[in-house]
Amino acid sequence: MADPTSASTTQNHTSLRPGALGVAGIVFLVLAAVAPLTGIVVVASLAIALGNGGGTPMSFFLVAAILLLFAVGYAQMSKQLVNAGGFYAFVVKGLGRTGGLIAGLIATIGYNFFVVGTIGTSGFFMQTIIRDLTGLDVHWLVWGLLSIVVCFVLARIGVDFSSKVLGVCLVLEVLMLVVFDVSVLVQTGYDLAAFSPEAVFSGSLPIGLLLAATGFLGFEATALFSEEAKQPLRTIPRATYTSIIAIGIILGVTTWAVVSATGVAQAQATALEHLPTGDLIFTLSQQYLGGPLTTVMMVLLLVSLFAAMLAFHNSATRYLYSLGRARILPQALARTRANGAPQLAGIVQASFAGIVAIIFAIAGADPIVTLVPAMLGFGTLSVLILQGLAAISIVVYFRRGRDPRWWSTFIAPGIGFLGIAAISVLAIVNFNIVAGSEELAIRLMPLLLVLAVIGGIVYGVYLKRAKPAVYEGLSSDLEQFSNR
C-alpha cells in the first residue's frame, strides 16, 4: 500500500489545480497583464507621439486584426494541446525539441525580466504619486519590493483567488477609461478624421504599429493556464479571442477619444509636448473629468501596475514550473502546494526579481532611466519573438499533418505570423524606442536572444547525448493533459 500512497502524494504536490479557472478568470489574468490604464497612460501616449499621431487608433485596430488571424490557428492548436508550458509547448509541437528549448529559454528570461521591470515601474509611480498626494516619500525600492511580496502571497493562495483580485482591479481601471471616453464623446465628440488615410499614414505608421503591439503583450498567457482551466479545449480558445477583442476595443476606442480631445491634426505635436513629463492623459483628464477623478485615475494607475505585476508573476512562475517538470530546469521547480499553486517556482521567481531590483538600487540606478528600459524592453522583445515562434510552429505542425482546414491552420495563422514577424523585426531595429533608452548597454540587449538561441541548441545537443530520457520527455510531457 505504500507505493500507491506515495505516488498519490507525489502527484498531489507536482500538479496544478485542474478546473480552477473559467473563461472569465483567464481573461482577468490576461487583461490584468495588459494593464489597460497603464497601456493608455504610457503606450498610447508614446504611440501618438512617436508613431502615426492622430491615426494611432487605427494602429491598435490593425494589430488586433493581425492577432485575431494568429488566434485562429492558436485556437486550433489549443484544442490539440493542454500544457502549462504555453508557447514553449507550441514550439515543441511545431519546431521540435530543440526549438522548444530555445523558446523556453526566451520565455523564461523574458517573463522574469518583465517582473523585474514591473518592480521598477510600480515602485517609481508609487513613490511619486503617494508623495504628491500624501507627502509620504518612501524610496521606490521599498514600494517595489512590498508589491512583489504581496503578489507572491496572493499567488500562493491560488490562481483562482488571483483571478478574482485581478478581476476587481480590471473592472476599476476599465470603468475609469469608460468614464473618460464617454466624457470626451459628450463634450467634444469622436473625430472620424482619425481613420482617414492622411491621419493613418501620418508620422510613422510602422512605429505606431510596433508600439500598439506592445499594448497587447500578455494575451498569449491564456495557454499557460490551460491545465488549470475548466474544459480547456474550449475555454482557452474562447479566452484568447475574448482577450484580443477586449484589448483592441479598450485601447483603440480610448486612443480615439484621446486624439479627438487633442484634435487629430494636432495630436502628435501635443503628445510630443507632453512626452518629457508623461502627463498627456492626466492633463486631458483634468480637462474632461476634473481634479477629483484625475486623482482617482492616478491611484488606479497604481492598481493597474500592481495587477500587471501579479499577472506576470503568475505567468513567469508557470514557465519555471513547466520547464522544471520537463526537467529542463531543476525538477524541484515542479513542486506545488496542496492548492495546486507552484511552490518553489514562485519563491525562485519573486526572489530573482527582488534581488535584481536590489542590485540596480544599490548601484544607484534610476528605475525609469535604467531598470525599466532594460527589463521591460527586453521582456517586450522576448514576448514578441515568442509569439512569432508560436505562429510559425502552428503552421508547420498542421502542414506536417496535412490538415485539410486551410483557412484555420494555414492561411489565417500564416498571415498572422507575417504580421507578428514584421513587428518583431521592427522591435529589434527600433529597440531604443521599445526600451525607451538610447544607452548603448540597453540597445545591445537584443543580443541576449542570440545567446538564448545558442544556449538552446547546445543544451539540446547535451540532453540528447547525455540525458536522452529527458530529451525524449520534452515531447511526452506535452501529452500528459491533452485528453482533458
Side-chain angles (χ1 to χ4, degrees):
M1 296 296 293
D3 288 339
T5 302
S6 175
S8 175
T9 301
T10 301
Q11 177 66 26
N12 287 339
H13 289 280
T14 58
S15 300
L16 299 170
R17 179 185 168 191
L21 297 169
V23 173
I26 295 175
V27 169
F28 286 154
L29 286 164
V30 168
L31 291 187
V34 172
L37 182 55
T38 303
I40 291 298
V41 172
V42 180
V43 176
S45 298
L46 282 172
I48 295 169
L50 305 177
N52 53 328
T56 302
M58 180 57 80
S59 294
F60 282 104
F61 291 132
L62 287 173
V63 171
I66 291 171
L67 294 179
L68 282 172
L69 288 171
F70 161 73
V72 173
Y74 180 96
Q76 297 305 319
M77 183 69 102
S78 296
K79 294 175 182 177
Q80 304 283 325
L81 179 65
V82 176
N83 190 275
F87 279 5
Y88 143 75
F90 280 35
V91 178
V92 171
K93 276 285 193 181
L95 303 183
R97 299 176 182 88
T98 300
L101 283 172
I102 293 171
L105 289 175
I106 292 174
T108 301
I109 296 170
Y111 275 96
N112 279 280
F113 276 26
F114 237 119
V115 179
V116 178
T118 62
I119 290 179
T121 309
S122 182
F124 172 80
F125 280 104
M126 286 185 76
Q127 178 183 8
T128 303
I129 292 175
I130 291 175
R131 181 188 62 214
D132 292 346
L133 295 179
T134 68
L136 178 65
D137 191 4
V138 178
H139 194 275
W140 68 266
L141 181 64
V142 175
W143 289 122
L145 292 180
L146 179 62
S147 297
I148 191 63
V149 168
V150 175
C151 285
F152 170 72
V153 172
L154 291 178
R156 282 173 69 84
I157 293 174
V159 70
D160 53 337
F161 182 75
S162 291
S163 71
K164 292 181 176 67
V165 172
L166 293 175
V168 173
C169 296
L170 181 67
V171 169
L172 290 174
E173 57 182 299
V174 171
L175 182 61
M176 174 55 68
L177 292 176
V178 170
V179 171
F180 174 77
D181 294 346
V182 172
S183 181
V184 174
L185 177 63
V186 171
Q187 296 184 49
T188 303
Y190 291 174
D191 193 344
L192 291 173
F195 300 100
S196 67
E198 292 79 11
V200 173
F201 292 98
S202 66
S204 174
L205 177 58
I207 297 300
L209 291 171
L210 168 60
L211 291 171
T214 66
F216 288 79
L217 294 181
F219 89 88
E220 72 287 337
T222 52
L224 284 172
F225 301 101
S226 58
E227 290 179 30
E228 298 159 278
K230 301 171 185 176
Q231 299 180 311
L233 301 184
R234 285 188 291 178
T235 298
I236 299 304
R238 290 175 182 175
T240 304
Y241 283 124
T242 302
S243 298
I244 295 173
I245 292 171
I247 297 166
I249 291 174
I250 294 169
L251 297 184
V253 171
T254 304
T255 304
W256 188 12
V258 170
V259 299
S260 297
T262 61
V264 172
Q266 297 79 31
Q268 189 156 43
T270 303
L272 283 169
E273 181 183 337
H274 288 272
L275 192 59
T277 52
D279 63 348
L280 172 65
I281 304 303
F282 292 131
T283 299
L284 292 174
S285 177
Q286 284 280 2
Q287 178 183 344
Y288 285 91
L289 300 179
L293 281 180
T294 299
T295 299
V296 172
M297 179 182 282
M298 294 170 69
V299 173
L300 287 178
L301 176 63
L302 301 183
V303 173
S304 176
L305 290 168
F306 173 79
M309 181 188 290
L310 176 56
F312 276 110
H313 171 68
N314 275 312
S315 296
T317 296
R318 274 151 186 77
Y319 268 112
L320 291 172
Y321 162 84
S322 180
L323 296 180
R325 188 176 65 190
R327 292 181 290 173
I328 297 172
L329 295 178
Q331 198 169 8
L333 291 172
R335 294 174 187 166
T336 58
R337 291 165 56 80
N339 63 359
Q343 172 77 287
L344 187 58
I347 296 173
V348 169
Q349 199 294 303
S351 299
F352 168 80
I355 290 170
V356 173
I358 290 171
I359 291 172
F360 271 85
I362 291 175
D366 185 289
I368 296 300
V369 174
T370 306
L371 176 62
V372 172
M375 298 294 108
L376 292 188
F378 184 77
T380 297
L381 180 59
S382 297
V383 175
L384 288 172
I385 297 297
L386 197 62
Q387 290 175 2
L389 287 172
I392 192 62
S393 297
I394 292 168
V395 173
V396 171
Y397 173 76
F398 284 111
R399 285 308 93 215
R400 186 189 298 129
R402 298 183 179 181
D403 193 289
R405 298 167 298 174
W406 281 87
W407 167 253
S408 61
T409 64
F410 180 69
I411 297 174
I415 296 173
F417 164 71
L418 292 176
I420 293 171
I423 291 170
S424 299
V425 171
L426 284 170
I428 294 173
V429 174
N430 299 281
F431 188 69
N432 59 318
I433 294 177
V434 174
S437 174
E438 295 291 343
E439 293 291 329
L440 179 61
I442 292 176
R443 293 176 65 183
L444 292 176
M445 287 195 73
L447 293 177
L448 287 175
L449 292 173
V450 178
L451 294 179
V453 171
I454 296 172
I457 294 172
V458 171
Y459 194 33
V461 171
Y462 165 75
L463 289 178
K464 190 173 183 179
R465 292 179 178 177
K467 298 181 178 180
V470 174
Y471 186 75
E472 292 298 322
L474 295 180
S475 292
S476 60
D477 174 68
L478 305 186
E479 309 302 333
Q480 292 184 44
F481 307 91
S482 296
N483 292 322
R484 282 179 50 204

